[in-house]
Amino acid sequence: MPQTHVQTPAQNRAPAPAPAQPPTSALARPRPPKVLRGRIGTGFSPEPHRYRVYVAADDCPHCLGVTAAFADLGLRDTVALTVLRPGSDPGGHDALRRAYEAAGHGHDGTLTVPALCDGWSGRVVSNHAPDILEDLRRLSVHPAFRPAP
């Protein structure tokens, strides 16, 4: 599944050690980004103001779909939305980087969006667009996320 990779400058990163042997052609292929598929309701409780959705400000079809669903479902008062623009908002990019690093071992530095992040644990819940869309839909019908009468 294609995802948008958010390009940000590396900060305070030590260069990777040189490999002991030259890589073979099979090993030289880039790995696809790690797909994180946590779900709200399984380890992440549905609480208002707990989650933040990161999307890119470009023509990524997954980000456009998540942004449209976010608006249609009326979650703006209970779930935060951050739109990342290339070359701007270093705070948003840094927060997303920290969330990916907190998500687990083996983070290769690649930031992909859309991403649903948990503000309590500080980590990415999911970067799989269909799961994010389903979780947003579930939150929109949860009693805690409905507007007060």
Side-chain angles (χ1 to χ4, degrees), residues 36 95-105 107 118 121-124:
L36 303 172
L96 183 58
R97 174 176 281 105
R98 286 191 302 271
Y100 267 100
E101 290 170 351
H105 304 289
H107 174 64
D118 175 20
S121 69
R123 65 186 199 155
V124 174

Side-chain angles (χ1 to χ4, degrees), residues 74-113:
L75 293 169
R76 103 180 132 200
D77 292 334
T78 55
V79 177
L81 177 71
T82 298
V83 179
L84 300 173
R85 290 169 175 74
S88 66
D89 190 20
H93 288 93
D94 290 343
L96 183 58
R97 174 176 281 105
R98 286 191 302 271
Y100 267 100
E101 290 170 351
H105 304 289
H107 174 64
D108 66 0
T110 304
L111 305 180
T112 60
V113 291

